[in-house]
Amino acid sequence: MQKPTLPPAESPLSGYPAIAERAERVAPFIVMDVMSQAAAIERRGGSVVHMEVGQPSAPTPRSIRTAVSHALEDGRIGYTQALGTDSLRARIARHYREAYGVAVAAERVVVTTGSSGGFILAFLACFQPGARVAITAPGYPAYRNILIALGLEPVAIEVGPETRFALTPELIERAHREKPLAGVLTMSPANPTGVVMRPEAIADVAACCRRLGLWYISDEIYHGLTYEAPATTALAADPDAIIVNSFSKYYCMTGWRVGWLVVPERLVRPIERLQQNFSISVPYLSQVAGEAAFDATEECEAIKAGYAANRAFLLAALPAIGLGDFLPVDGAFYIYLDIGRYSNDSMSFCRNALEGAGVAITPGLDFDEGRGGRTVRLSFAGSLAECEEAVSRLGTWLGRR
Ligand SMILES: Cc1ncc(COP(=O)(O)O)c(C=O)c1O
């Protein structure tokens, strides 16, 4: 019998089993749609300056690629232990001692498929089905979507300049009083705001979580990319904080899909069992790359100096074209702009910027469902020439040149 042709996405399904509601509820990344629109313009021969993508434009440092070439040549590319190779776990533990002066036993380190894989493992190990987890709005959209996909409840707490876009004990306690939370997730430096939480702010959140008996998860993926003071690890405030980190950003390794968790000892075995069953292990070559990354400091710092130059240029140039409403960017490679004086519809503002100015930027609605209509995010992970071109095009488009 011939199978019926697939119905259009929105029409009621007949003849097919239903798709799980938790999968249906997961929202797409709007930035991906911007990328497709930009690609369509480029296919027609148009020119686009890309400021929408949250990844380094620089290649992975050469020394990392050389280390992987040797491993590739050796040819023994097999499964590793589910928690990661001993040598990478030891190297990550050493990094905590050297970079932060914090002692971490290698046994508490779990190598993951990017920080994205780390979130899934940590959420599954820590939270019962239906548990409520506090996150910030604005914030990284995948937090919300991963939590929903796992049958957990994201509790998006609106934050603003008054708390430097960070959660505070007061905000956490208020949400917990309304209906008990099971955990709190913070990030520093943050996406999309670029704000770095001060050490006292992290210590306050950690103490609050301990007082209320909540898991505290700290996303530290943009560590290394700070322009004023270095970022503090939540481990310095509380050895039981769960740290999520990755080689993607500072080390320019988004495509390698390798990151890590540092977890309290009692979580190691449950997470090991999950990883054994989900993916057996993280790809071996990516783990070799991760280990070599810690010795690529010179190349990584040179790339970071490029971001610092882009940042300095944009902080001065954006206000001059009427886009000056943003917090000083302490870290990461994003500027989160308030465009309220031009529009409260960031989707059409971004569409028009793309079509009218040839500059791809991301609508704030990706990061803040409630207030993102009046904000946009610019990524300055490209070259200085691209930043200059973007400002020139946007300035002309906004009639400021
Ligand atoms: C705040 C934040 N956390 C986590 C991730 C996921 O990164 P990865 O899975 O590549 O480590 C990103 C990616 O943009 C991010 O911005």
Side-chain angles (χ1 to χ4, degrees):
M1 198 178 81
Q2 206 187 351
K3 262 196 142 194
T5 49
L6 272 173
E10 307 299 338
S11 78
L13 292 165
S14 62
Y16 284 95
I19 290 168
E21 196 205 321
R22 60 174 182 268
E24 292 284 29
R25 282 179 58 212
V26 169
F29 250 147
I30 300 173
V31 66
M32 297 298 197
D33 296 341
V34 176
M35 285 161 76
S36 330
Q37 287 157 16
I41 292 177
E42 285 170 328
R43 271 197 303 277
R44 293 197 301 268
S47 140
V48 176
V49 182
H50 290 274
M51 301 201 87
E52 80 281 29
V53 205
Q55 70 172 338
S57 57
T60 300
R62 180 162 297 282
S63 57
I64 300 176
R65 286 181 279 141
T66 304
V68 174
S69 301
H70 292 318
L72 190 58
E73 203 47 47
D74 179 62
R76 275 170 300 177
I77 300 160
Y79 295 136
T80 72
Q81 293 162 64
L83 293 170
T85 63
D86 286 343
S87 55
L88 177 54
R89 293 171 75 203
R91 188 64 191 82
I92 292 169
R94 186 177 132 201
H95 172 67
Y96 280 88
R97 204 166 49 247
E98 291 174 355
Y100 308 102
V102 172
V104 170
E107 293 71 29
R108 290 176 52 204
V109 175
V110 182
V111 181
T112 59
T113 42
S115 67
S116 305
F119 286 118
I120 297 171
L121 293 170
F123 293 166
L124 282 171
C126 294
F127 302 125
Q128 303 291 349
R132 285 161 46 86
V133 181
I135 55 176
T136 56
Y140 177 55
Y143 296 155
R144 178 188 162 73
N145 289 324
I146 297 174
L147 287 165
I148 291 174
L150 297 179
L152 302 165
E153 190 187 333
V155 178
I157 299 179
E158 287 193 350
V159 290
E162 62 293 345
T163 65
R164 299 189 82 253
F165 284 95
L167 289 178
T168 60
E170 295 69 34
L171 291 168
I172 295 167
E173 278 160 7
R174 194 187 308 152
H176 190 61
R177 266 197 308 275
E178 278 164 20
K179 197 170 165 202
L181 297 167
V184 173
L185 168 52
T186 65
M187 62 181 145
S188 169
N191 176 8
T193 58
V195 170
V196 173
M197 284 174 78
R198 299 205 171 104
E200 319 82 80
I202 292 180
D204 287 348
V205 169
C208 171
C209 288
R210 196 166 267 279
R211 200 167 54 247
L212 300 176
L214 311 179
W215 290 106
Y216 177 28
I217 302 175
S218 172
D219 181 352
E220 304 185 350
I221 184 172
Y222 292 101
H223 273 218
L225 296 178
T226 50
Y227 309 103
E228 302 292 337
T232 326
T233 175
L235 283 176
D238 188 336
D240 281 342
I242 295 170
I243 308 303
V244 186
N245 207 326
S246 171
F247 293 99
S248 289
K249 308 290 176 164
Y250 175 72
Y251 302 99
C252 304
M253 286 173 56
T254 47
W256 298 83
R257 309 310 303 131
V258 58
W260 71 87
L261 294 170
V262 180
V263 299
E265 225 171 87
R266 68 198 172 100
L267 275 186
V268 172
R269 183 64 183 145
I271 288 182
E272 181 177 27
R273 290 195 303 260
L274 289 165
Q275 180 114 287
Q276 284 169 345
N277 286 283
F278 283 176
S279 48
I280 304 185
S281 66
V282 171
Y284 170 69
L285 290 177
S286 298
Q287 296 193 55
V288 171
E291 203 172 327
F294 289 109
D295 297 320
T297 314
E298 211 174 296
E299 284 179 81
C300 292
E301 283 299 306
I303 293 163
K304 179 178 155 186
Y307 303 147
N310 296 350
R311 169 183 177 268
F313 167 74
L314 289 170
L315 294 190
L318 287 171
I321 58 163
L323 292 174
D325 203 350
F326 53 83
L327 274 198
V329 182
D330 313 319
F333 34 55
Y334 305 116
I335 296 182
Y336 196 53
L337 277 171
D338 192 318
I339 47 140
R341 60 188 286 198
Y342 297 109
S343 168
N344 56 13
D345 177 359
S346 59
M347 295 287 274
S348 39
F349 183 88
C350 291
R351 199 174 317 112
N352 294 341
L354 183 57
E355 281 163 12
V359 179
I361 52 179
T362 309
L365 286 172
D366 234 356
F367 312 101
D368 189 339
E369 289 187 323
R371 299 169 298 172
R374 50 178 294 153
T375 51
V376 299
R377 187 195 74 177
L378 263 71
S379 164
F380 55 84
S383 67
L384 182 57
E386 283 170 314
C387 294
E388 287 168 349
E389 181 61 21
V391 166
S392 158
R393 291 183 185 194
L394 288 171
T396 308
W397 177 62
L398 292 168
R400 304 295 291 236
R401 279 183 180 234

